[in-house]
Amino acid sequence: MFCARFYVTLPEIYKKMTQEEKTNLEGRIVDVIKTVYDPEIPVDIWSLGMIYRIEVNDDYSVDIDMTFTAPNCPAADYILEDVRTKVESVEGITSATVNLVFEPEWDKSMMSEEARIELGFE
């Protein structure tokens, strides 16, 4: 019987990240999150302040905590899936987990100044 052994070297991508690499990836993640919109609001979810946490792990997976402007958002599933797929499309990211949280409760003060102006709150 013949048995072959294969030795595989993990690509660079799976080696421990430096803080600079994490920061760079976080910036690219924010850039794609800024392309996600609630279909009912003409401002992206980043500017609305709906993203509470982005954590890039050493295995290049990403954990995101986000909320909605209202707990009964009719587009919730669409938005969560849009965030996940767009973050996973960032080169180097292996997977993304998007956690829906409601603490702290979202309010208008979480929006960027540009978002408040765009929506007529200032």
Side-chain angles (χ1 to χ4, degrees):
M1 186 168 151
F2 177 77
C3 182
R5 290 192 178 177
F6 297 94
Y7 295 94
V8 178
T9 304
L10 288 175
E12 268 310 301
I13 191 169
Y14 294 107
K15 296 189 176 157
K16 187 168 172 78
M17 265 187 280
T18 65
Q19 187 56 49
E20 182 180 341
E21 290 169 321
K22 280 187 181 189
T23 300
N24 181 288
L25 268 177
E26 288 168 359
R28 293 185 2 232
I29 290 166
V30 168
D31 287 344
V32 298
I33 288 174
K34 286 180 177 180
T35 69
V36 177
Y37 288 80
D38 179 324
E40 298 177 346
I41 304 172
V43 176
D44 68 86
I45 65 170
W46 178 262
S47 297
L48 287 170
M50 293 169 52
I51 303 295
Y52 288 169
R53 179 181 70 94
I54 299 173
E55 184 174 333
V56 178
N57 303 302
D58 285 334
D59 65 353
Y60 289 79
S61 65
V62 178
D63 295 312
I64 297 171
D65 289 348
M66 69 169 289
T67 195
F68 290 112
T69 57
N72 56 352
C73 175
D77 291 339
Y78 167 79
I79 295 169
L80 289 169
E81 184 64 12
D82 200 21
V83 171
R84 187 189 64 76
T85 57
K86 285 184 176 179
V87 170
E88 286 182 346
S89 76
V90 173
E91 185 178 344
I93 297 301
T94 58
S95 66
T97 302
V98 182
N99 305 301
L100 181 58
V101 299
F102 291 104
E103 291 293 325
E105 186 177 335
W106 182 89
D107 66 53
K108 293 179 220 171
S109 70
M110 296 174 173
M111 291 191 287
S112 69
E113 182 178 351
E114 294 83 10
R116 287 193 299 274
I117 291 169
E118 175 73 25
L119 296 173
F121 292 121
E122 287 202 7

